[in-house]
Amino acid sequence: MEPVIEMSDLRVSFAARSGAVEALRGLNLKVSRGSVVGFLGPNGAGKTTAIHVLLGFISPTSGTARIFGRDSGSSMAREQIGYLPEHPTTYGFLTGRELLTMAGRLFRMDRSRLGAATERVLAMVDMTVPANRRIATYSRGMMQRIGLAQALINDPALVILDEPTGGLDPIGRADVRKIIADLRAAGKTVFFSSHELSEVELACDHVAIMARGAL
């Protein structure tokens, strides 16, 4: 079966005053369909750079990154992804519900499908009541929850989460673990980075450990 994520000899270099900095140095990694994979490593190991290549935010210096068999820079590949950044930020003047409506429209979801999906993901992240408040009034944990709802609005086949339990209390962390388990049960693929080794141990089928830009 074709892997959902495939990175082959992936290299990314950034220009710096002291010379080129190699953020990724020949990264090779495959993620199978329906698995939950933890992406680990110290600060500066290259985890976020690798995720940004997968999302098409930056282009590799060399090598390839593919999602569902397509180049990660392809818009068709990204249509099947849900993404939660490490520090989710958005328009504070919107309500949580309005944010989800905007995200769903970007995925060209029709009105009836979007309405049902909005209620479903709000219930999943326990944000049904606060969804009518402006995002500017949210706590860090609530921002994390509404960001996760936004990542799931399009019912993605691949969910990429960057530090998904950041800012959450123990109950919130347990909720995220349950959501990840439910996604696995539904046949989704989850790829998430974390510094919380206990969370990774409880949630993951496999781990990939980065150090100095390589696996």
Side-chain angles (χ1 to χ4, degrees):
M1 183 181 294
E2 185 176 64
V4 172
I5 293 174
E6 184 172 13
M7 292 179 270
S8 301
D9 197 24
L10 194 64
R11 297 177 183 273
V12 174
S13 297
F14 297 109
R17 290 183 179 180
S18 58
V21 175
E22 282 192 301
L24 296 179
R25 301 183 300 110
L27 175 60
N28 292 285
L29 177 64
K30 292 182 180 180
V31 174
S32 301
R33 189 181 301 269
S35 60
V36 177
V37 176
F39 200 36
L40 306 179
N43 292 332
K47 302 187 303 296
T48 297
T49 298
I51 288 174
H52 284 182
V53 171
L54 289 176
L55 295 165
F57 295 165
I58 59 177
S59 299
T61 304
S62 64
T64 60
R66 302 181 71 81
I67 297 173
F68 298 105
R70 298 179 182 274
D71 185 275
S72 63
S74 161
S75 60
M76 292 182 69
R78 293 197 296 273
E79 286 181 354
Q80 302 182 70
I81 297 176
Y83 170 56
L84 174 68
E86 180 177 3
H87 302 291
T89 57
T90 187
Y91 304 107
F93 58 85
L94 295 177
T95 66
R97 196 177 298 277
E98 288 169 342
L99 171 67
L100 299 181
T101 298
M102 181 184 72
R105 287 177 175 172
L106 289 172
F107 281 106
R108 298 187 294 275
M109 297 172 68
D110 62 55
R111 187 182 298 273
S112 60
R113 180 187 171 208
L114 177 55
T118 297
E119 297 310 316
R120 174 178 58 83
V121 296
L122 285 173
M124 285 177 67
V125 301
D126 195 24
M127 285 288 288
T128 300
V129 174
N132 295 319
R133 284 170 43 189
R134 291 193 177 189
I135 292 171
T137 69
Y138 286 0
S139 67
R140 169 73 193 282
M142 293 169 72
M143 279 294 303
Q144 200 76 3
R145 287 173 180 271
I146 202 66
L148 182 56
Q150 176 268 322
L152 300 175
I153 190 68
N154 61 317
D155 192 25
L158 169 62
V159 181
I160 298 177
L161 309 173
D162 198 351
E163 298 288 346
T165 57
L168 294 176
D169 58 24
I171 293 174
R173 293 183 180 191
D175 289 344
V176 169
R177 289 198 301 271
K178 182 180 185 306
I179 288 169
I180 290 173
D182 290 345
L183 290 169
R184 178 204 284 120
K188 312 294 186 181
T189 305
V190 181
F191 185 68
F192 76 93
S193 70
S194 179
H195 290 106
E196 298 287 343
L197 300 184
S198 60
E199 297 296 325
V200 171
E201 182 180 18
L202 290 168
C204 292
D205 302 311
H206 307 281
V207 295
I209 302 174
M210 292 282 291
R212 297 185 297 277
L215 197 65

